[in-house]
Amino acid sequence: MTTDIPVLAPLRRSPVARRKLLVFTCFLATAVTLTPIVMMVLVAFQSDTESMQTKPSFWPSSWHTENIGRAFDLVPIGRYLLNTVIFAGGTTILETITAALAAYAFARLAFRGREVLFGVYLATLMIPTQVTLVPQFILVAKLHGVDTWAGMILPHAFTALGVFLLRQFFLGVPRDYEEAARLDGASRWQTFIRVIVPLAVPAIATLAVFKFISQWNNLLWPLVISNSDATRTASVGLQVFQSTNGTQWNLLLMAATITTVPLILLFFLTQRWFVKGITMSGLGGR
């Protein structure tokens, strides 16, 4: 025998009440997520004295737009942003290519031990990044890759998550398309490039957005492998900013705001592909 909780009983009977509860929950989650970002932007435009108060007023008494120029003068933020684009873009391009090739092999090519190998490959997702950090650094150091782009990008150009995501999508592509291309004389490689890849553009775009955002925010590996401004990324640059300029919260948060803007623009530019990829790939519960 089941008994309804009095508070939840109206929700079970009324679709309108359930919809209102869903809207309220989404609004609350959005407010909680955006509050720190809004506070960061507001403090970034405060004066030095106002941002250092014991009981700060988050809304600035006057907007100090000159903090943007001051932040650029203290550290080379422009260089850090360019380095981040190179690092995140390089790893994104390489992982997208390697993940697409490996995923197609696991989804379409029949070879002995395929399922076992795929399971072992997925098991690497259970290994924390911190566990492989020291071996990766020793390997890169012995190959003279410290403080180089190759040493920063190549260790992050292969991940099992991208292979899993694209494999789930490739499994849903009907084999009739490939068979028709093979009947027309296309090779396996031509079928992959001209048939499979165009169909998988939403899933590939989703993987690229995931990878780019994760590498843009990556702090641990660039912090370990980069030793100069020539390769320091924005996340490492913020650490350098804080260590060299102390707790100038308004300028530190201004630098953080500047490094966050490209990600916001990226999301709005790729939102259509992002949502479509989530819906059509395995992450959408298809």
Side-chain angles (χ1 to χ4, degrees), residues 172-198:
V173 177
R175 292 181 179 270
D176 296 343
Y177 296 128
E178 294 175 87
E179 293 174 357
R182 298 299 295 272
L183 289 175
D184 288 338
S187 63
R188 176 75 72 175
W189 175 254
Q190 290 174 329
T191 302
F192 173 72
I193 294 297
R194 298 181 181 180
V195 178
I196 300 299
V197 171

mmCIF file with all atom_site columns, all heavy atoms in Angstrom, residues 172-198:
data_model
loop_
_atom_site.group_PDB
_atom_site.id
_atom_site.type_symbol
_atom_site.label_atom_id
_atom_site.label_alt_id
_atom_site.label_comp_id
_atom_site.label_asym_id
_atom_site.label_entity_id
_atom_site.label_seq_id
_atom_site.pdbx_PDB_ins_code
_atom_site.Cartn_x
_atom_site.Cartn_y
_atom_site.Cartn_z
_atom_site.occupancy
_atom_site.B_iso_or_equiv
_atom_site.pdbx_formal_charge
_atom_site.auth_seq_id
_atom_site.auth_comp_id
_atom_site.auth_asym_id
_atom_site.auth_atom_id
_atom_site.pdbx_PDB_model_num
ATOM 1   N N   . GLY A 1 172 ? 24.919 4.139  -34.345 1.00 0.00 ? 172 GLY A N   1
ATOM 2   C CA  . GLY A 1 172 ? 23.555 4.471  -34.757 1.00 0.00 ? 172 GLY A CA  1
ATOM 3   C C   . GLY A 1 172 ? 23.414 4.825  -36.217 1.00 0.00 ? 172 GLY A C   1
ATOM 4   O O   . GLY A 1 172 ? 22.294 5.001  -36.710 1.00 0.00 ? 172 GLY A O   1
ATOM 5   N N   . VAL A 1 173 ? 24.527 4.951  -36.935 1.00 0.00 ? 173 VAL A N   1
ATOM 6   C CA  . VAL A 1 173 ? 24.465 5.259  -38.374 1.00 0.00 ? 173 VAL A CA  1
ATOM 7   C C   . VAL A 1 173 ? 24.155 3.984  -39.147 1.00 0.00 ? 173 VAL A C   1
ATOM 8   O O   . VAL A 1 173 ? 24.860 2.978  -39.010 1.00 0.00 ? 173 VAL A O   1
ATOM 9   C CB  . VAL A 1 173 ? 25.804 5.855  -38.856 1.00 0.00 ? 173 VAL A CB  1
ATOM 10  C CG1 . VAL A 1 173 ? 25.761 6.092  -40.364 1.00 0.00 ? 173 VAL A CG1 1
ATOM 11  C CG2 . VAL A 1 173 ? 26.101 7.154  -38.126 1.00 0.00 ? 173 VAL A CG2 1
ATOM 12  N N   . PRO A 1 174 ? 23.095 3.965  -39.953 1.00 0.00 ? 174 PRO A N   1
ATOM 13  C CA  . PRO A 1 174 ? 22.756 2.747  -40.710 1.00 0.00 ? 174 PRO A CA  1
ATOM 14  C C   . PRO A 1 174 ? 23.899 2.320  -41.629 1.00 0.00 ? 174 PRO A C   1
ATOM 15  O O   . PRO A 1 174 ? 24.536 3.144  -42.285 1.00 0.00 ? 174 PRO A O   1
ATOM 16  C CB  . PRO A 1 174 ? 21.523 3.169  -41.511 1.00 0.00 ? 174 PRO A CB  1
ATOM 17  C CG  . PRO A 1 174 ? 20.955 4.329  -40.773 1.00 0.00 ? 174 PRO A CG  1
ATOM 18  C CD  . PRO A 1 174 ? 22.117 5.042  -40.172 1.00 0.00 ? 174 PRO A CD  1
ATOM 19  N N   . ARG A 1 175 ? 24.130 1.023  -41.696 1.00 0.00 ? 175 ARG A N   1
ATOM 20  C CA  . ARG A 1 175 ? 25.189 0.498  -42.559 1.00 0.00 ? 175 ARG A CA  1
ATOM 21  C C   . ARG A 1 175 ? 24.846 0.629  -44.044 1.00 0.00 ? 175 ARG A C   1
ATOM 22  O O   . ARG A 1 175 ? 25.726 0.469  -44.894 1.00 0.00 ? 175 ARG A O   1
ATOM 23  C CB  . ARG A 1 175 ? 25.447 -0.971 -42.217 1.00 0.00 ? 175 ARG A CB  1
ATOM 24  C CG  . ARG A 1 175 ? 26.068 -1.173 -40.833 1.00 0.00 ? 175 ARG A CG  1
ATOM 25  C CD  . ARG A 1 175 ? 26.322 -2.641 -40.578 1.00 0.00 ? 175 ARG A CD  1
ATOM 26  N NE  . ARG A 1 175 ? 26.942 -2.868 -39.266 1.00 0.00 ? 175 ARG A NE  1
ATOM 27  C CZ  . ARG A 1 175 ? 28.252 -2.886 -39.066 1.00 0.00 ? 175 ARG A CZ  1
ATOM 28  N NH1 . ARG A 1 175 ? 29.071 -2.707 -40.097 1.00 0.00 ? 175 ARG A NH1 1
ATOM 29  N NH2 . ARG A 1 175 ? 28.744 -3.085 -37.867 1.00 0.00 ? 175 ARG A NH2 1
ATOM 30  N N   . ASP A 1 176 ? 23.579 0.906  -44.350 1.00 0.00 ? 176 ASP A N   1
ATOM 31  C CA  . ASP A 1 176 ? 23.179 1.028  -45.752 1.00 0.00 ? 176 ASP A CA  1
ATOM 32  C C   . ASP A 1 176 ? 23.947 2.139  -46.455 1.00 0.00 ? 176 ASP A C   1
ATOM 33  O O   . ASP A 1 176 ? 24.262 2.032  -47.647 1.00 0.00 ? 176 ASP A O   1
ATOM 34  C CB  . ASP A 1 176 ? 21.673 1.304  -45.850 1.00 0.00 ? 176 ASP A CB  1
ATOM 35  C CG  . ASP A 1 176 ? 20.848 0.154  -45.308 1.00 0.00 ? 176 ASP A CG  1
ATOM 36  O OD1 . ASP A 1 176 ? 21.422 -0.950 -45.175 1.00 0.00 ? 176 ASP A OD1 1
ATOM 37  O OD2 . ASP A 1 176 ? 19.655 0.352  -45.022 1.00 0.00 ? 176 ASP A OD2 1
ATOM 38  N N   . TYR A 1 177 ? 24.249 3.229  -45.712 1.00 0.00 ? 177 TYR A N   1
ATOM 39  C CA  . TYR A 1 177 ? 24.988 4.326  -46.327 1.00 0.00 ? 177 TYR A CA  1
ATOM 40  C C   . TYR A 1 177 ? 26.379 3.871  -46.763 1.00 0.00 ? 177 TYR A C   1
ATOM 41  O O   . TYR A 1 177 ? 26.838 4.187  -47.861 1.00 0.00 ? 177 TYR A O   1
ATOM 42  C CB  . TYR A 1 177 ? 25.108 5.494  -45.341 1.00 0.00 ? 177 TYR A CB  1
ATOM 43  C CG  . TYR A 1 177 ? 23.790 6.127  -44.962 1.00 0.00 ? 177 TYR A CG  1
ATOM 44  C CD1 . TYR A 1 177 ? 23.429 6.305  -43.633 1.00 0.00 ? 177 TYR A CD1 1
ATOM 45  C CD2 . TYR A 1 177 ? 22.912 6.571  -45.942 1.00 0.00 ? 177 TYR A CD2 1
ATOM 46  C CE1 . TYR A 1 177 ? 22.224 6.890  -43.279 1.00 0.00 ? 177 TYR A CE1 1
ATOM 47  C CE2 . TYR A 1 177 ? 21.701 7.156  -45.607 1.00 0.00 ? 177 TYR A CE2 1
ATOM 48  C CZ  . TYR A 1 177 ? 21.364 7.310  -44.271 1.00 0.00 ? 177 TYR A CZ  1
ATOM 49  O OH  . TYR A 1 177 ? 20.174 7.886  -43.944 1.00 0.00 ? 177 TYR A OH  1
ATOM 50  N N   . GLU A 1 178 ? 27.033 3.122  -45.894 1.00 0.00 ? 178 GLU A N   1
ATOM 51  C CA  . GLU A 1 178 ? 28.379 2.647  -46.216 1.00 0.00 ? 178 GLU A CA  1
ATOM 52  C C   . GLU A 1 178 ? 28.346 1.627  -47.347 1.00 0.00 ? 178 GLU A C   1
ATOM 53  O O   . GLU A 1 178 ? 29.195 1.644  -48.245 1.00 0.00 ? 178 GLU A O   1
ATOM 54  C CB  . GLU A 1 178 ? 29.017 2.029  -44.972 1.00 0.00 ? 178 GLU A CB  1
ATOM 55  C CG  . GLU A 1 178 ? 29.282 3.027  -43.859 1.00 0.00 ? 178 GLU A CG  1
ATOM 56  C CD  . GLU A 1 178 ? 29.791 2.346  -42.610 1.00 0.00 ? 178 GLU A CD  1
ATOM 57  O OE1 . GLU A 1 178 ? 31.017 2.147  -42.506 1.00 0.00 ? 178 GLU A OE1 1
ATOM 58  O OE2 . GLU A 1 178 ? 28.969 2.015  -41.739 1.00 0.00 ? 178 GLU A OE2 1
ATOM 59  N N   . GLU A 1 179 ? 27.370 0.736  -47.294 1.00 0.00 ? 179 GLU A N   1
ATOM 60  C CA  . GLU A 1 179 ? 27.278 -0.275 -48.339 1.00 0.00 ? 179 GLU A CA  1
ATOM 61  C C   . GLU A 1 179 ? 27.011 0.352  -49.698 1.00 0.00 ? 179 GLU A C   1
ATOM 62  O O   . GLU A 1 179 ? 27.560 -0.091 -50.722 1.00 0.00 ? 179 GLU A O   1
ATOM 63  C CB  . GLU A 1 179 ? 26.180 -1.273 -47.988 1.00 0.00 ? 179 GLU A CB  1
ATOM 64  C CG  . GLU A 1 179 ? 26.508 -2.107 -46.749 1.00 0.00 ? 179 GLU A CG  1
ATOM 65  C CD  . GLU A 1 179 ? 25.357 -2.988 -46.330 1.00 0.00 ? 179 GLU A CD  1
ATOM 66  O OE1 . GLU A 1 179 ? 24.286 -2.881 -46.988 1.00 0.00 ? 179 GLU A OE1 1
ATOM 67  O OE2 . GLU A 1 179 ? 25.509 -3.757 -45.357 1.00 0.00 ? 179 GLU A OE2 1
ATOM 68  N N   . ALA A 1 180 ? 26.193 1.402  -49.738 1.00 0.00 ? 180 ALA A N   1
ATOM 69  C CA  . ALA A 1 180 ? 25.922 2.092  -51.001 1.00 0.00 ? 180 ALA A CA  1
ATOM 70  C C   . ALA A 1 180 ? 27.191 2.755  -51.531 1.00 0.00 ? 180 ALA A C   1
ATOM 71  O O   . ALA A 1 180 ? 27.472 2.724  -52.737 1.00 0.00 ? 180 ALA A O   1
ATOM 72  C CB  . ALA A 1 180 ? 24.824 3.128  -50.808 1.00 0.00 ? 180 ALA A CB  1
ATOM 73  N N   . ALA A 1 181 ? 27.972 3.347  -50.617 1.00 0.00 ? 181 ALA A N   1
ATOM 74  C CA  . ALA A 1 181 ? 29.221 3.975  -51.046 1.00 0.00 ? 181 ALA A CA  1
ATOM 75  C C   . ALA A 1 181 ? 30.218 2.933  -51.541 1.00 0.00 ? 181 ALA A C   1
ATOM 76  O O   . ALA A 1 181 ? 30.925 3.163  -52.542 1.00 0.00 ? 181 ALA A O   1
ATOM 77  C CB  . ALA A 1 181 ? 29.820 4.774  -49.886 1.00 0.00 ? 181 ALA A CB  1
ATOM 78  N N   . ARG A 1 182 ? 30.278 1.779  -50.876 1.00 0.00 ? 182 ARG A N   1
ATOM 79  C CA  . ARG A 1 182 ? 31.210 0.733  -51.309 1.00 0.00 ? 182 ARG A CA  1
ATOM 80  C C   . ARG A 1 182 ? 30.817 0.174  -52.672 1.00 0.00 ? 182 ARG A C   1
ATOM 81  O O   . ARG A 1 182 ? 31.676 -0.173 -53.497 1.00 0.00 ? 182 ARG A O   1
ATOM 82  C CB  . ARG A 1 182 ? 31.244 -0.392 -50.265 1.00 0.00 ? 182 ARG A CB  1
ATOM 83  C CG  . ARG A 1 182 ? 31.735 0.042  -48.881 1.00 0.00 ? 182 ARG A CG  1
ATOM 84  C CD  . ARG A 1 182 ? 33.151 0.581  -48.925 1.00 0.00 ? 182 ARG A CD  1
ATOM 85  N NE  . ARG A 1 182 ? 34.100 -0.439 -49.292 1.00 0.00 ? 182 ARG A NE  1
ATOM 86  C CZ  . ARG A 1 182 ? 34.686 -1.252 -48.420 1.00 0.00 ? 182 ARG A CZ  1
ATOM 87  N NH1 . ARG A 1 182 ? 34.411 -1.153 -47.128 1.00 0.00 ? 182 ARG A NH1 1
ATOM 88  N NH2 . ARG A 1 182 ? 35.567 -2.152 -48.827 1.00 0.00 ? 182 ARG A NH2 1
ATOM 89  N N   . LEU A 1 183 ? 29.499 0.069  -52.924 1.00 0.00 ? 183 LEU A N   1
ATOM 90  C CA  . LEU A 1 183 ? 29.034 -0.399 -54.231 1.00 0.00 ? 183 LEU A CA  1
ATOM 91  C C   . LEU A 1 183 ? 29.402 0.573  -55.338 1.00 0.00 ? 183 LEU A C   1
ATOM 92  O O   . LEU A 1 183 ? 29.586 0.174  -56.504 1.00 0.00 ? 183 LEU A O   1
ATOM 93  C CB  . LEU A 1 183 ? 27.521 -0.625 -54.201 1.00 0.00 ? 183 LEU A CB  1
ATOM 94  C CG  . LEU A 1 183 ? 27.028 -1.823 -53.390 1.00 0.00 ? 183 LEU A CG  1
ATOM 95  C CD1 . LEU A 1 183 ? 25.508 -1.858 -53.353 1.00 0.00 ? 183 LEU A CD1 1
ATOM 96  C CD2 . LEU A 1 183 ? 27.579 -3.133 -53.969 1.00 0.00 ? 183 LEU A CD2 1
ATOM 97  N N   . ASP A 1 184 ? 29.499 1.867  -54.975 1.00 0.00 ? 184 ASP A N   1
ATOM 98  C CA  . ASP A 1 184 ? 29.884 2.872  -55.965 1.00 0.00 ? 184 ASP A CA  1
ATOM 99  C C   . ASP A 1 184 ? 31.388 2.933  -56.175 1.00 0.00 ? 184 ASP A C   1
ATOM 100 O O   . ASP A 1 184 ? 31.871 3.776  -56.939 1.00 0.00 ? 184 ASP A O   1
ATOM 101 C CB  . ASP A 1 184 ? 29.388 4.253  -55.526 1.00 0.00 ? 184 ASP A CB  1
ATOM 102 C CG  . ASP A 1 184 ? 27.873 4.370  -55.659 1.00 0.00 ? 184 ASP A CG  1
ATOM 103 O OD1 . ASP A 1 184 ? 27.294 3.594  -56.438 1.00 0.00 ? 184 ASP A OD1 1
ATOM 104 O OD2 . ASP A 1 184 ? 27.284 5.236  -54.988 1.00 0.00 ? 184 ASP A OD2 1
ATOM 105 N N   . GLY A 1 185 ? 32.127 2.066  -55.489 1.00 0.00 ? 185 GLY A N   1
ATOM 106 C CA  . GLY A 1 185 ? 33.564 2.004  -55.690 1.00 0.00 ? 185 GLY A CA  1
ATOM 107 C C   . GLY A 1 185 ? 34.389 2.760  -54.667 1.00 0.00 ? 185 GLY A C   1
ATOM 108 O O   . GLY A 1 185 ? 35.611 2.873  -54.839 1.00 0.00 ? 185 GLY A O   1
ATOM 109 N N   . ALA A 1 186 ? 33.771 3.270  -53.616 1.00 0.00 ? 186 ALA A N   1
ATOM 110 C CA  . ALA A 1 186 ? 34.514 4.017  -52.601 1.00 0.00 ? 186 ALA A CA  1
ATOM 111 C C   . ALA A 1 186 ? 35.286 3.057  -51.706 1.00 0.00 ? 186 ALA A C   1
ATOM 112 O O   . ALA A 1 186 ? 34.793 1.976  -51.361 1.00 0.00 ? 186 ALA A O   1
ATOM 113 C CB  . ALA A 1 186 ? 33.564 4.869  -51.764 1.00 0.00 ? 186 ALA A CB  1
ATOM 114 N N   . SER A 1 187 ? 36.480 3.464  -51.322 1.00 0.00 ? 187 SER A N   1
ATOM 115 C CA  . SER A 1 187 ? 37.274 2.670  -50.391 1.00 0.00 ? 187 SER A CA  1
ATOM 116 C C   . SER A 1 187 ? 36.779 2.900  -48.969 1.00 0.00 ? 187 SER A C   1
ATOM 117 O O   . SER A 1 187 ? 35.907 3.738  -48.723 1.00 0.00 ? 187 SER A O   1
ATOM 118 C CB  . SER A 1 187 ? 38.751 3.049  -50.496 1.00 0.00 ? 187 SER A CB  1
ATOM 119 O OG  . SER A 1 187 ? 38.948 4.399  -50.114 1.00 0.00 ? 187 SER A OG  1
ATOM 120 N N   . ARG A 1 188 ? 37.338 2.134  -48.035 1.00 0.00 ? 188 ARG A N   1
ATOM 121 C CA  . ARG A 1 188 ? 36.969 2.300  -46.633 1.00 0.00 ? 188 ARG A CA  1
ATOM 122 C C   . ARG A 1 188 ? 37.274 3.726  -46.167 1.00 0.00 ? 188 ARG A C   1
ATOM 123 O O   . ARG A 1 188 ? 36.488 4.338  -45.457 1.00 0.00 ? 188 ARG A O   1
ATOM 124 C CB  . ARG A 1 188 ? 37.716 1.284  -45.777 1.00 0.00 ? 188 ARG A CB  1
ATOM 125 C CG  . ARG A 1 188 ? 37.485 1.424  -44.287 1.00 0.00 ? 188 ARG A CG  1
ATOM 126 C CD  . ARG A 1 188 ? 36.135 0.921  -43.862 1.00 0.00 ? 188 ARG A CD  1
ATOM 127 N NE  . ARG A 1 188 ? 36.060 -0.524 -43.922 1.00 0.00 ? 188 ARG A NE  1
ATOM 128 C CZ  . ARG A 1 188 ? 34.995 -1.224 -43.496 1.00 0.00 ? 188 ARG A CZ  1
ATOM 129 N NH1 . ARG A 1 188 ? 33.940 -0.593 -43.012 1.00 0.00 ? 188 ARG A NH1 1
ATOM 130 N NH2 . ARG A 1 188 ? 34.985 -2.550 -43.595 1.00 0.00 ? 188 ARG A NH2 1
ATOM 131 N N   . TRP A 1 189 ? 38.432 4.232  -46.563 1.00 0.00 ? 189 TRP A N   1
ATOM 132 C CA  . TRP A 1 189 ? 38.821 5.582  -46.147 1.00 0.00 ? 189 TRP A CA  1
ATOM 133 C C   . TRP A 1 189 ? 37.903 6.629  -46.773 1.00 0.00 ? 189 TRP A C   1
ATOM 134 O O   . TRP A 1 189 ? 37.478 7.575  -46.100 1.00 0.00 ? 189 TRP A O   1
ATOM 135 C CB  . TRP A 1 189 ? 40.268 5.841  -46.548 1.00 0.00 ? 189 TRP A CB  1
ATOM 136 C CG  . TRP A 1 189 ? 40.744 7.238  -46.267 1.00 0.00 ? 189 TRP A CG  1
ATOM 137 C CD1 . TRP A 1 189 ? 40.963 8.221  -47.169 1.00 0.00 ? 189 TRP A CD1 1
ATOM 138 C CD2 . TRP A 1 189 ? 41.049 7.794  -44.987 1.00 0.00 ? 189 TRP A CD2 1
ATOM 139 N NE1 . TRP A 1 189 ? 41.389 9.361  -46.542 1.00 0.00 ? 189 TRP A NE1 1
ATOM 140 C CE2 . TRP A 1 189 ? 41.453 9.128  -45.198 1.00 0.00 ? 189 TRP A CE2 1
ATOM 141 C CE3 . TRP A 1 189 ? 41.022 7.288  -43.684 1.00 0.00 ? 189 TRP A CE3 1
ATOM 142 C CZ2 . TRP A 1 189 ? 41.827 9.969  -44.159 1.00 0.00 ? 189 TRP A CZ2 1
ATOM 143 C CZ3 . TRP A 1 189 ? 41.401 8.122  -42.641 1.00 0.00 ? 189 TRP A CZ3 1
ATOM 144 C CH2 . TRP A 1 189 ? 41.792 9.444  -42.881 1.00 0.00 ? 189 TRP A CH2 1
ATOM 145 N N   . GLN A 1 190 ? 37.571 6.485  -48.061 1.00 0.00 ? 190 GLN A N   1
ATOM 146 C CA  . GLN A 1 190 ? 36.675 7.424  -48.718 1.00 0.00 ? 190 GLN A CA  1
ATOM 147 C C   . GLN A 1 190 ? 35.279 7.382  -48.107 1.00 0.00 ? 190 GLN A C   1
ATOM 148 O O   . GLN A 1 190 ? 34.620 8.414  -47.957 1.00 0.00 ? 190 GLN A O   1
ATOM 149 C CB  . GLN A 1 190 ? 36.604 7.118  -50.212 1.00 0.00 ? 190 GLN A CB  1
ATOM 150 C CG  . GLN A 1 190 ? 37.886 7.434  -50.965 1.00 0.00 ? 190 GLN A CG  1
ATOM 151 C CD  . GLN A 1 190 ? 37.830 6.973  -52.404 1.00 0.00 ? 190 GLN A CD  1
ATOM 152 O OE1 . GLN A 1 190 ? 37.173 5.977  -52.723 1.00 0.00 ? 190 GLN A OE1 1
ATOM 153 N NE2 . GLN A 1 190 ? 38.521 7.682  -53.297 1.00 0.00 ? 190 GLN A NE2 1
ATOM 154 N N   . THR A 1 191 ? 34.834 6.191  -47.715 1.00 0.00 ? 191 THR A N   1
ATOM 155 C CA  . THR A 1 191 ? 33.527 6.070  -47.057 1.00 0.00 ? 191 THR A CA  1
ATOM 156 C C   . THR A 1 191 ? 33.519 6.809  -45.721 1.00 0.00 ? 191 THR A C   1
ATOM 157 O O   . THR A 1 191 ? 32.550 7.499  -45.380 1.00 0.00 ? 191 THR A O   1
ATOM 158 C CB  . THR A 1 191 ? 33.191 4.587  -46.834 1.00 0.00 ? 191 THR A CB  1
ATOM 159 O OG1 . THR A 1 191 ? 33.193 3.908  -48.095 1.00 0.00 ? 191 THR A OG1 1
ATOM 160 C CG2 . THR A 1 191 ? 31.835 4.433  -46.174 1.00 0.00 ? 191 THR A CG2 1
ATOM 161 N N   . PHE A 1 192 ? 34.615 6.664  -44.991 1.00 0.00 ? 192 PHE A N   1
ATOM 162 C CA  . PHE A 1 192 ? 34.705 7.342  -43.691 1.00 0.00 ? 192 PHE A CA  1
ATOM 163 C C   . PHE A 1 192 ? 34.697 8.860  -43.852 1.00 0.00 ? 192 PHE A C   1
ATOM 164 O O   . PHE A 1 192 ? 33.967 9.571  -43.143 1.00 0.00 ? 192 PHE A O   1
ATOM 165 C CB  . PHE A 1 192 ? 35.972 6.901  -42.972 1.00 0.00 ? 192 PHE A CB  1
ATOM 166 C CG  . PHE A 1 192 ? 36.250 7.651  -41.702 1.00 0.00 ? 192 PHE A CG  1
ATOM 167 C CD1 . PHE A 1 192 ? 35.474 7.445  -40.574 1.00 0.00 ? 192 PHE A CD1 1
ATOM 168 C CD2 . PHE A 1 192 ? 37.293 8.574  -41.640 1.00 0.00 ? 192 PHE A CD2 1
ATOM 169 C CE1 . PHE A 1 192 ? 35.719 8.151  -39.405 1.00 0.00 ? 192 PHE A CE1 1
ATOM 170 C CE2 . PHE A 1 192 ? 37.553 9.273  -40.475 1.00 0.00 ? 192 PHE A CE2 1
ATOM 171 C CZ  . PHE A 1 192 ? 36.773 9.059  -39.362 1.00 0.00 ? 192 PHE A CZ  1
ATOM 172 N N   . ILE A 1 193 ? 35.468 9.382  -44.804 1.00 0.00 ? 193 ILE A N   1
ATOM 173 C CA  . ILE A 1 193 ? 35.604 10.828 -44.971 1.00 0.00 ? 193 ILE A CA  1
ATOM 174 C C   . ILE A 1 193 ? 34.352 11.447 -45.596 1.00 0.00 ? 193 ILE A C   1
ATOM 175 O O   . ILE A 1 193 ? 33.881 12.506 -45.140 1.00 0.00 ? 193 ILE A O   1
ATOM 176 C CB  . ILE A 1 193 ? 36.840 11.161 -45.836 1.00 0.00 ? 193 ILE A CB  1
ATOM 177 C CG1 . ILE A 1 193 ? 38.122 10.756 -45.104 1.00 0.00 ? 193 ILE A CG1 1
ATOM 178 C CG2 . ILE A 1 193 ? 36.881 12.650 -46.178 1.00 0.00 ? 193 ILE A CG2 1
ATOM 179 C CD1 . ILE A 1 193 ? 38.364 11.505 -43.821 1.00 0.00 ? 193 ILE A CD1 1
ATOM 180 N N   . ARG A 1 194 ? 33.784 10.790 -46.603 1.00 0.00 ? 194 ARG A N   1
ATOM 181 C CA  . ARG A 1 194 ? 32.711 11.402 -47.379 1.00 0.00 ? 194 ARG A CA  1
ATOM 182 C C   . ARG A 1 194 ? 31.312 11.050 -46.895 1.00 0.00 ? 194 ARG A C   1
ATOM 183 O O   . ARG A 1 194 ? 30.349 11.738 -47.245 1.00 0.00 ? 194 ARG A O   1
ATOM 184 C CB  . ARG A 1 194 ? 32.854 11.013 -48.852 1.00 0.00 ? 194 ARG A CB  1
ATOM 185 C CG  . ARG A 1 194 ? 34.148 11.503 -49.497 1.00 0.00 ? 194 ARG A CG  1
ATOM 186 C CD  . ARG A 1 194 ? 34.218 11.110 -50.957 1.00 0.00 ? 194 ARG A CD  1
ATOM 187 N NE  . ARG A 1 194 ? 35.473 11.548 -51.582 1.00 0.00 ? 194 ARG A NE  1
ATOM 188 C CZ  . ARG A 1 194 ? 35.797 11.346 -52.850 1.00 0.00 ? 194 ARG A CZ  1
ATOM 189 N NH1 . ARG A 1 194 ? 34.931 10.696 -53.650 1.00 0.00 ? 194 ARG A NH1 1
ATOM 190 N NH2 . ARG A 1 194 ? 36.944 11.770 -53.330 1.00 0.00 ? 194 ARG A NH2 1
ATOM 191 N N   . VAL A 1 195 ? 31.179 9.976  -46.119 1.00 0.00 ? 195 VAL A N   1
ATOM 192 C CA  . VAL A 1 195 ? 29.848 9.551  -45.668 1.00 0.00 ? 195 VAL A CA  1
ATOM 193 C C   . VAL A 1 195 ? 29.699 9.679  -44.150 1.00 0.00 ? 195 VAL A C   1
ATOM 194 O O   . VAL A 1 195 ? 28.786 10.354 -43.656 1.00 0.00 ? 195 VAL A O   1
ATOM 195 C CB  . VAL A 1 195 ? 29.565 8.088  -46.103 1.00 0.00 ? 195 VAL A CB  1
ATOM 196 C CG1 . VAL A 1 195 ? 28.200 7.642  -45.588 1.00 0.00 ? 195 VAL A CG1 1
ATOM 197 C CG2 . VAL A 1 195 ? 29.635 7.977  -47.626 1.00 0.00 ? 195 VAL A CG2 1
ATOM 198 N N   . ILE A 1 196 ? 30.597 9.044  -43.411 1.00 0.00 ? 196 ILE A N   1
ATOM 199 C CA  . ILE A 1 196 ? 30.446 8.983  -41.960 1.00 0.00 ? 196 ILE A CA  1
ATOM 200 C C   . ILE A 1 196 ? 30.709 10.333 -41.299 1.00 0.00 ? 196 ILE A C   1
ATOM 201 O O   . ILE A 1 196 ? 29.920 10.801 -40.467 1.00 0.00 ? 196 ILE A O   1
ATOM 202 C CB  . ILE A 1 196 ? 31.379 7.904  -41.373 1.00 0.00 ? 196 ILE A CB  1
ATOM 203 C CG1 . ILE A 1 196 ? 31.028 6.538  -41.956 1.00 0.00 ? 196 ILE A CG1 1
ATOM 204 C CG2 . ILE A 1 196 ? 31.260 7.879  -39.857 1.00 0.00 ? 196 ILE A CG2 1
ATOM 205 C CD1 . ILE A 1 196 ? 29.627 6.083  -41.656 1.00 0.00 ? 196 ILE A CD1 1
ATOM 206 N N   . VAL A 1 197 ? 31.810 10.970 -41.671 1.00 0.00 ? 197 VAL A N   1
ATOM 207 C CA  . VAL A 1 197 ? 32.174 12.236 -41.019 1.00 0.00 ? 197 VAL A CA  1
ATOM 208 C C   . VAL A 1 197 ? 31.112 13.315 -41.223 1.00 0.00 ? 197 VAL A C   1
ATOM 209 O O   . VAL A 1 197 ? 30.733 13.991 -40.258 1.00 0.00 ? 197 VAL A O   1
ATOM 210 C CB  . VAL A 1 197 ? 33.562 12.716 -41.501 1.00 0.00 ? 197 VAL A CB  1
ATOM 211 C CG1 . VAL A 1 197 ? 33.853 14.132 -41.004 1.00 0.00 ? 197 VAL A CG1 1
ATOM 212 C CG2 . VAL A 1 197 ? 34.652 11.770 -41.020 1.00 0.00 ? 197 VAL A CG2 1
ATOM 213 N N   . PRO A 1 198 ? 30.573 13.526 -42.451 1.00 0.00 ? 198 PRO A N   1
ATOM 214 C CA  . PRO A 1 198 ? 29.512 14.538 -42.584 1.00 0.00 ? 198 PRO A CA  1
ATOM 215 C C   . PRO A 1 198 ? 28.280 14.235 -41.732 1.00 0.00 ? 198 PRO A C   1
ATOM 216 O O   . PRO A 1 198 ? 27.653 15.160 -41.205 1.00 0.00 ? 198 PRO A O   1
ATOM 217 C CB  . PRO A 1 198 ? 29.168 14.490 -44.081 1.00 0.00 ? 198 PRO A CB  1
ATOM 218 C CG  . PRO A 1 198 ? 30.422 14.013 -44.731 1.00 0.00 ? 198 PRO A CG  1
ATOM 219 C CD  . PRO A 1 198 ? 31.009 13.018 -43.775 1.00 0.00 ? 198 PRO A CD  1
#
